[in-house]
Amino acid sequence: MIREDLIWVGTPDFAGRLRGKAFPAAERQRRLRRGVGWTPTNIQITCFDLIAESPFGALGDLLLIPDPAAESRVDYGDGSPPDHVMIGDICELDGTPWDFCSRSRLKSALARLEKATGLSLLVAYEHEFHLKGAQRPKGDAYSLAGFRAQAAFAETLMAALRHGGLVPDTIMKEYAPDQYEVTVAPAPALRAADEAALLREITRSTAARLGDTASFTPLRQPGGVGNGVHIHMSLRDKAGKPATYDPAKPDCLSDVAGAFAAGILRYLEAIVALTAPAAISYSRLVPHRWSAAYNNLGLRDREASLRICPTTAVEPQSIAAQFNLEYRAADAAASPHLALAAIVEAGVQGIEEGLSAPAATEADLTTLSREELDEAGLVRLPESLEEALDRLGANPTVTGWFPPGFVDLYRAHKQGELSFLEGMDPAAICAAYEESY
């Protein structure tokens, strides 16, 4: 059969998916200049493929312009067409960024960080997912048997990531049945977000080619173990030197890193609607589930929303290079670009406000009284998506980070998602998200 080589260009959307269209590979150079046509209302396609309320209606035209720095081509060697993918920006017809493009919002946040501090971010995303094929028996958590059961998948996935331009790091059998975690090496922030989006697509493609289905749903079943996305961040100066670590400071956070962390925690209750944006996200973000329930900083604490990670190095320079903060109140229902944009905006806000790093908590926060939580500046994170959206919309500082109408449009998108779920019981809601992600 004859065949035309195609390149698929996609853009990260409010539902945490890449959406786009394909064009002949022979037109690559032309499309880098002119892009492909796009429609404003596409931003309101929910994870359930329904269009939420849109102010654009059927009107308007945009361009989706591929970025050659965000290109991945994976030939699986199985005789089927390679996955040739580019990530792009949504632009106006004159090439200027569209206000509601998630990737452009991340670029804007990173520019704000650089302007305020002269610093950049090195970022790595940890992804948890599960395979929906034959269920493994209980007792395989972290085991060789559990890994061996999907060794062919794991080896193919790691090879596919490398062929696609990512640097594979680790893959492991996670705690829940058929749950796995995969990581890639840290990268500059925009590239890391692009790689997070590509990793999800490569993982899904690898599973499909092996006759299985991979799902990044935040929660597979009520009361079950969730799939999170942990975002590791460290500040770097213009020479590329680490700027997060200072052994003379409390918890070894430099002044700028401490203010960055404090900003994230101050605005966490509002930005979590952007980093954990599914209805089922809030069944995972509860105490004693190794996720995040309060806006606390933790030292090697996997229940903290923001964790100071351990280092294995001995020499000061190596310690500084490894030292990083881990944001844990996120999942793959979020756009990796929009989630990171919100985190960066919050961190820079903390720097601009001159905040000091909070003390790392060590107690079980569920045992503290309301007065003790208030005294420590701690709040319980929203316990539903509706509550999270309300806190987002009610915070003028957070809404002010985005162009006019952005937060209203995002909230309308999520209301459309919630409307689809009306009348469903918890098991049906989990099944709907598992199918989508």
Side-chain angles (χ1 to χ4, degrees):
M1 299 289 289
I2 60 173
R3 197 167 75 194
E4 175 96 24
D5 289 338
L6 300 175
I7 300 175
W8 188 87
V9 56
T11 186
D13 73 354
F14 287 169
R17 300 299 302 267
L18 288 178
R19 300 190 194 273
K21 58 176 68 175
F23 58 86
E27 294 186 3
R28 182 179 183 278
Q29 292 305 313
R30 185 169 74 90
R31 295 299 181 181
L32 290 178
R33 297 190 304 272
R34 298 180 55 185
V36 297
W38 202 242
T39 304
T41 287
N42 285 352
I43 195 67
Q44 291 301 80
I45 300 174
T46 72
C47 63
F48 303 120
D49 281 349
L50 299 175
I51 298 177
E53 182 178 344
S54 168
F56 310 113
L59 302 177
D61 287 283
L62 299 165
L63 295 174
L64 173 51
I65 301 180
D67 184 346
E71 185 171 8
S72 173
R73 187 180 186 277
V74 182
D75 188 339
Y76 287 82
D78 58 359
S80 61
D83 287 344
H84 195 168
V85 175
M86 300 182 76
I87 299 177
D89 300 309
I90 308 175
C91 299
E92 302 284 357
L93 297 183
D94 63 1
T96 57
W98 188 48
D99 281 346
F100 306 104
C101 172
S102 295
R103 196 166 185 263
S104 295
R105 299 276 54 81
L106 175 56
K107 290 181 179 180
S108 176
L110 295 171
R112 182 185 176 196
L113 172 65
E114 183 177 10
K115 181 179 179 180
T117 66
L119 302 175
S120 61
L121 270 184
L122 192 67
V123 176
Y125 292 72
E126 292 180 13
H127 282 86
E128 295 169 340
F129 64 94
H130 65 262
L131 297 170
K132 294 172 62 177
Q135 298 244 335
R136 292 286 302 168
K138 292 183 178 179
D140 277 346
Y142 306 109
S143 71
L144 176 59
F147 175 80
R148 190 187 302 118
Q150 294 293 346
F153 165 81
E155 291 185 356
T156 303
L157 174 59
M158 297 297 259
L161 293 171
R162 192 179 300 279
H163 277 257
L166 287 67
V167 180
D169 181 37
T170 64
I171 187 167
M172 63 178 288
K173 171 67 182 71
E174 259 282 4
Y175 177 72
D178 303 295
Q179 184 186 42
Y180 293 81
E181 178 188 273
V182 62
T183 63
V184 295
L190 179 62
R191 174 62 187 176
D194 290 340
E195 289 187 356
L198 291 169
L199 179 145
R200 298 174 194 181
E201 299 302 335
I202 292 171
T203 302
R204 293 185 182 106
S205 182
T206 299
R209 289 166 187 267
L210 293 173
D212 209 332
T213 302
S215 177
F216 290 84
T217 181
L219 191 66
R220 189 175 193 180
Q221 57 190 14
V225 177
N227 292 315
V229 173
H230 304 151
I231 304 174
H232 293 258
M233 303 168 289
S234 60
L235 295 161
R236 293 291 193 269
D237 66 17
K238 291 183 178 180
K241 294 181 179 179
T244 310
Y245 179 74
D246 185 341
K249 300 294 182 179
D251 299 315
C252 297
L253 284 173
S254 66
D255 288 339
V256 67
F260 187 82
I264 293 171
L265 297 175
R266 171 169 287 188
Y267 295 101
L268 180 56
E269 63 176 320
I271 68 170
V272 73
L274 300 166
T275 66
I280 55 174
S281 298
Y282 297 86
S283 296
R284 192 180 74 85
L285 298 180
V286 296
H288 306 148
R289 287 179 62 90
W290 283 32
S291 57
Y294 296 86
N295 64 329
N296 63 312
L297 177 69
L299 182 63
R300 304 179 187 177
D301 178 2
R302 287 177 171 81
E303 290 215 347
S305 292
L306 195 64
R307 183 172 81 111
I308 301 172
C309 294
T311 60
T312 57
V314 177
E315 297 180 354
Q317 288 185 338
S318 298
I319 293 173
Q322 287 188 8
F323 195 76
N324 69 90
L325 292 166
E326 178 188 28
Y327 181 92
R328 297 179 59 80
D331 57 52
S335 158
H337 299 76
L338 185 54
L340 186 56
I343 294 166
V344 173
E345 293 279 10
V348 179
Q349 188 72 34
I351 293 170
E352 292 177 348
E353 292 178 9
L355 301 183
S356 299
T361 59
E362 296 181 356
D364 178 353
L365 300 185
T366 62
T367 66
L368 301 184
S369 67
R370 175 62 63 86
E371 291 74 18
E372 289 171 318
L373 291 172
D374 289 344
E375 185 177 351
L378 299 175
V379 298
R380 177 70 168 88
L381 297 183
E383 297 183 53
S384 69
L385 178 56
E386 294 92 335
E387 184 184 352
L389 292 169
D390 286 344
R391 294 201 207 180
L392 170 64
N395 192 308
T397 299
V398 175
T399 57
W401 299 336
F402 300 95
F406 185 96
V407 170
D408 289 338
L409 186 68
Y410 180 83
R411 294 183 71 189
H413 180 282
K414 293 303 166 184
Q415 290 296 340
E417 184 176 318
L418 289 168
S419 295
F420 174 83
L421 301 171
E422 287 182 3
M424 292 187 185
D425 62 28
I429 291 174
C430 285
Y433 277 109
E434 182 181 32
E435 186 71 22
S436 178
Y437 286 104

mmCIF file of all heavy atoms in Angstrom, residues 210-236:
data_model
loop_
_atom_site.group_PDB
_atom_site.id
_atom_site.type_symbol
_atom_site.label_atom_id
_atom_site.label_comp_id
_atom_site.label_asym_id
_atom_site.label_seq_id
_atom_site.Cartn_x
_atom_site.Cartn_y
_atom_site.Cartn_z
ATOM 1 N N LEU A 210 1.336 -3.107 22.021
ATOM 2 C CA LEU A 210 1.526 -4.404 22.666
ATOM 3 C C LEU A 210 0.196 -5.003 23.114
ATOM 4 O O LEU A 210 0.161 -5.934 23.923
ATOM 5 C CB LEU A 210 2.467 -4.259 23.861
ATOM 6 C CG LEU A 210 3.917 -3.907 23.492
ATOM 7 C CD1 LEU A 210 4.734 -3.613 24.746
ATOM 8 C CD2 LEU A 210 4.563 -5.040 22.701
ATOM 9 N N GLY A 211 -0.902 -4.458 22.597
ATOM 10 C CA GLY A 211 -2.208 -5.026 22.861
ATOM 11 C C GLY A 211 -2.803 -4.665 24.200
ATOM 12 O O GLY A 211 -3.699 -5.358 24.693
ATOM 13 N N ASP A 212 -2.338 -3.569 24.814
ATOM 14 C CA ASP A 212 -2.839 -3.170 26.123
ATOM 15 C C ASP A 212 -3.280 -1.709 26.048
ATOM 16 O O ASP A 212 -3.197 -1.061 25.000
ATOM 17 C CB ASP A 212 -1.757 -3.356 27.189
ATOM 18 C CG ASP A 212 -2.322 -3.639 28.573
ATOM 19 O OD1 ASP A 212 -3.451 -3.185 28.847
ATOM 20 O OD2 ASP A 212 -1.638 -4.291 29.382
ATOM 21 N N THR A 213 -3.742 -1.183 27.156
ATOM 22 C CA THR A 213 -4.137 0.211 27.254
ATOM 23 C C THR A 213 -3.536 0.796 28.525
ATOM 24 O O THR A 213 -3.667 0.204 29.596
ATOM 25 C CB THR A 213 -5.671 0.362 27.315
ATOM 26 O OG1 THR A 213 -6.249 -0.236 26.156
ATOM 27 C CG2 THR A 213 -6.072 1.821 27.380
ATOM 28 N N ALA A 214 -2.877 1.933 28.392
ATOM 29 C CA ALA A 214 -2.330 2.637 29.546
ATOM 30 C C ALA A 214 -3.255 3.781 29.906
ATOM 31 O O ALA A 214 -3.727 4.503 29.031
ATOM 32 C CB ALA A 214 -0.933 3.173 29.235
ATOM 33 N N SER A 215 -3.519 3.952 31.199
ATOM 34 C CA SER A 215 -4.358 5.054 31.662
ATOM 35 C C SER A 215 -3.626 5.825 32.756
ATOM 36 O O SER A 215 -3.084 5.239 33.688
ATOM 37 C CB SER A 215 -5.692 4.532 32.196
ATOM 38 O OG SER A 215 -6.469 5.609 32.710
ATOM 39 N N PHE A 216 -3.661 7.155 32.626
ATOM 40 C CA PHE A 216 -3.076 8.051 33.623
ATOM 41 C C PHE A 216 -4.155 8.654 34.518
ATOM 42 O O PHE A 216 -3.927 9.677 35.152
ATOM 43 C CB PHE A 216 -2.306 9.175 32.918
ATOM 44 C CG PHE A 216 -1.042 8.718 32.233
ATOM 45 C CD1 PHE A 216 -1.071 8.178 30.960
ATOM 46 C CD2 PHE A 216 0.184 8.840 32.866
ATOM 47 C CE1 PHE A 216 0.088 7.770 30.315
ATOM 48 C CE2 PHE A 216 1.354 8.434 32.234
ATOM 49 C CZ PHE A 216 1.305 7.893 30.958
ATOM 50 N N THR A 217 -5.316 8.032 34.575
ATOM 51 C CA THR A 217 -6.399 8.577 35.383
ATOM 52 C C THR A 217 -5.949 8.833 36.817
ATOM 53 O O THR A 217 -5.181 8.053 37.387
ATOM 54 C CB THR A 217 -7.603 7.614 35.396
ATOM 55 O OG1 THR A 217 -8.649 8.201 36.191
ATOM 56 C CG2 THR A 217 -7.254 6.269 35.984
ATOM 57 N N PRO A 218 -6.415 9.924 37.431
ATOM 58 C CA PRO A 218 -6.012 10.189 38.818
ATOM 59 C C PRO A 218 -6.471 9.123 39.806
ATOM 60 O O PRO A 218 -5.827 8.944 40.839
ATOM 61 C CB PRO A 218 -6.685 11.541 39.122
ATOM 62 C CG PRO A 218 -6.865 12.182 37.785
ATOM 63 C CD PRO A 218 -7.144 11.065 36.839
ATOM 64 N N LEU A 219 -7.571 8.440 39.499
ATOM 65 C CA LEU A 219 -8.075 7.434 40.435
ATOM 66 C C LEU A 219 -8.837 6.373 39.655
ATOM 67 O O LEU A 219 -9.810 6.676 38.972
ATOM 68 C CB LEU A 219 -8.998 8.075 41.481
ATOM 69 C CG LEU A 219 -9.380 7.199 42.677
ATOM 70 C CD1 LEU A 219 -8.149 6.902 43.537
ATOM 71 C CD2 LEU A 219 -10.452 7.888 43.514
ATOM 72 N N ARG A 220 -8.392 5.132 39.796
ATOM 73 C CA ARG A 220 -8.977 4.055 39.002
ATOM 74 C C ARG A 220 -10.304 3.582 39.570
ATOM 75 O O ARG A 220 -11.214 3.231 38.813
ATOM 76 C CB ARG A 220 -7.985 2.889 38.924
ATOM 77 C CG ARG A 220 -8.391 1.809 37.950
ATOM 78 C CD ARG A 220 -7.321 0.754 37.828
ATOM 79 N NE ARG A 220 -7.554 -0.124 36.697
ATOM 80 C CZ ARG A 220 -6.770 -1.140 36.355
ATOM 81 N NH1 ARG A 220 -5.670 -1.390 37.078
ATOM 82 N NH2 ARG A 220 -7.043 -1.886 35.312
ATOM 83 N N GLN A 221 -10.417 3.532 40.872
ATOM 84 C CA GLN A 221 -11.649 3.071 41.504
ATOM 85 C C GLN A 221 -11.783 3.720 42.868
ATOM 86 O O GLN A 221 -10.783 4.099 43.494
ATOM 87 C CB GLN A 221 -11.645 1.550 41.652
ATOM 88 C CG GLN A 221 -10.469 1.002 42.444
ATOM 89 C CD GLN A 221 -10.356 -0.506 42.366
ATOM 90 O OE1 GLN A 221 -10.984 -1.146 41.531
ATOM 91 N NE2 GLN A 221 -9.554 -1.093 43.242
ATOM 92 N N PRO A 222 -13.019 3.894 43.355
ATOM 93 C CA PRO A 222 -13.202 4.531 44.662
ATOM 94 C C PRO A 222 -12.421 3.795 45.748
ATOM 95 O O PRO A 222 -12.453 2.568 45.834
ATOM 96 C CB PRO A 222 -14.713 4.411 44.892
ATOM 97 C CG PRO A 222 -15.301 4.288 43.524
ATOM 98 C CD PRO A 222 -14.297 3.528 42.714
ATOM 99 N N GLY A 223 -11.699 4.537 46.548
ATOM 100 C CA GLY A 223 -10.909 3.942 47.614
ATOM 101 C C GLY A 223 -9.616 3.327 47.163
ATOM 102 O O GLY A 223 -8.835 2.828 47.985
ATOM 103 N N GLY A 224 -9.332 3.344 45.867
ATOM 104 C CA GLY A 224 -8.113 2.741 45.346
ATOM 105 C C GLY A 224 -6.925 3.678 45.436
ATOM 106 O O GLY A 224 -7.011 4.798 45.947
ATOM 107 N N VAL A 225 -5.797 3.206 44.936
ATOM 108 C CA VAL A 225 -4.573 4.000 44.913
ATOM 109 C C VAL A 225 -4.578 4.869 43.662
ATOM 110 O O VAL A 225 -4.856 4.389 42.566
ATOM 111 C CB VAL A 225 -3.333 3.091 44.931
ATOM 112 C CG1 VAL A 225 -2.057 3.913 44.826
ATOM 113 C CG2 VAL A 225 -3.325 2.246 46.202
ATOM 114 N N GLY A 226 -4.288 6.135 43.816
ATOM 115 C CA GLY A 226 -4.346 7.049 42.689
ATOM 116 C C GLY A 226 -3.046 7.112 41.899
ATOM 117 O O GLY A 226 -1.994 6.627 42.326
ATOM 118 N N ASN A 227 -3.145 7.729 40.721
ATOM 119 C CA ASN A 227 -1.991 8.022 39.880
ATOM 120 C C ASN A 227 -1.704 9.516 39.969
ATOM 121 O O ASN A 227 -2.535 10.340 39.581
ATOM 122 C CB ASN A 227 -2.264 7.669 38.417
ATOM 123 C CG ASN A 227 -2.389 6.177 38.190
ATOM 124 O OD1 ASN A 227 -1.589 5.398 38.702
ATOM 125 N ND2 ASN A 227 -3.379 5.759 37.411
ATOM 126 N N GLY A 228 -0.529 9.858 40.477
ATOM 127 C CA GLY A 228 -0.161 11.259 40.589
ATOM 128 C C GLY A 228 0.887 11.653 39.567
ATOM 129 O O GLY A 228 1.437 10.812 38.842
ATOM 130 N N VAL A 229 1.130 12.932 39.490
ATOM 131 C CA VAL A 229 2.256 13.491 38.738
ATOM 132 C C VAL A 229 3.017 14.381 39.711
ATOM 133 O O VAL A 229 2.462 15.338 40.246
ATOM 134 C CB VAL A 229 1.795 14.312 37.525
ATOM 135 C CG1 VAL A 229 2.988 15.019 36.872
ATOM 136 C CG2 VAL A 229 1.090 13.434 36.500
ATOM 137 N N HIS A 230 4.270 14.037 39.977
ATOM 138 C CA HIS A 230 5.097 14.809 40.895
ATOM 139 C C HIS A 230 6.066 15.648 40.079
ATOM 140 O O HIS A 230 6.750 15.128 39.191
ATOM 141 C CB HIS A 230 5.840 13.886 41.850
ATOM 142 C CG HIS A 230 4.930 12.982 42.622
ATOM 143 N ND1 HIS A 230 5.307 11.747 43.076
ATOM 144 C CD2 HIS A 230 3.636 13.144 43.008
ATOM 145 C CE1 HIS A 230 4.292 11.179 43.716
ATOM 146 N NE2 HIS A 230 3.277 12.009 43.684
ATOM 147 N N ILE A 231 6.111 16.945 40.383
ATOM 148 C CA ILE A 231 6.892 17.883 39.583
ATOM 149 C C ILE A 231 8.082 18.358 40.408
ATOM 150 O O ILE A 231 7.915 19.043 41.423
ATOM 151 C CB ILE A 231 6.025 19.072 39.141
ATOM 152 C CG1 ILE A 231 4.780 18.562 38.388
ATOM 153 C CG2 ILE A 231 6.834 20.017 38.249
ATOM 154 C CD1 ILE A 231 3.790 19.662 38.036
ATOM 155 N N HIS A 232 9.282 17.959 39.985
ATOM 156 C CA HIS A 232 10.516 18.327 40.682
ATOM 157 C C HIS A 232 11.098 19.586 40.038
ATOM 158 O O HIS A 232 11.195 19.671 38.810
ATOM 159 C CB HIS A 232 11.530 17.189 40.603
ATOM 160 C CG HIS A 232 11.114 15.970 41.365
ATOM 161 N ND1 HIS A 232 11.633 15.652 42.596
ATOM 162 C CD2 HIS A 232 10.214 14.993 41.077
ATOM 163 C CE1 HIS A 232 11.084 14.530 43.037
ATOM 164 N NE2 HIS A 232 10.222 14.114 42.132
ATOM 165 N N MET A 233 11.522 20.524 40.882
ATOM 166 C CA MET A 233 11.999 21.825 40.392
ATOM 167 C C MET A 233 13.236 22.270 41.142
ATOM 168 O O MET A 233 13.308 22.119 42.371
ATOM 169 C CB MET A 233 10.909 22.889 40.590
ATOM 170 C CG MET A 233 9.577 22.576 39.938
ATOM 171 S SD MET A 233 8.260 23.696 40.521
ATOM 172 C CE MET A 233 8.049 23.097 42.209
ATOM 173 N N SER A 234 14.192 22.803 40.403
ATOM 174 C CA SER A 234 15.339 23.441 41.039
ATOM 175 C C SER A 234 15.708 24.684 40.241
ATOM 176 O O SER A 234 15.601 24.707 39.010
ATOM 177 C CB SER A 234 16.536 22.488 41.132
ATOM 178 O OG SER A 234 16.948 22.058 39.851
ATOM 179 N N LEU A 235 16.105 25.732 40.951
ATOM 180 C CA LEU A 235 16.451 27.003 40.330
ATOM 181 C C LEU A 235 17.895 26.972 39.849
ATOM 182 O O LEU A 235 18.773 26.375 40.477
ATOM 183 C CB LEU A 235 16.246 28.137 41.332
ATOM 184 C CG LEU A 235 14.792 28.354 41.775
ATOM 185 C CD1 LEU A 235 14.748 29.153 43.075
ATOM 186 C CD2 LEU A 235 14.004 29.061 40.684
ATOM 187 N N ARG A 236 18.136 27.632 38.717
ATOM 188 C CA ARG A 236 19.476 27.729 38.143
ATOM 189 C C ARG A 236 19.752 29.173 37.749
ATOM 190 O O ARG A 236 18.854 29.886 37.286
ATOM 191 C CB ARG A 236 19.588 26.846 36.880
ATOM 192 C CG ARG A 236 19.486 25.332 37.150
ATOM 193 C CD ARG A 236 20.714 24.858 37.913
ATOM 194 N NE ARG A 236 20.853 23.411 37.945
ATOM 195 C CZ ARG A 236 20.371 22.616 38.881
ATOM 196 N NH1 ARG A 236 19.640 23.141 39.864
ATOM 197 N NH2 ARG A 236 20.580 21.317 38.855
#
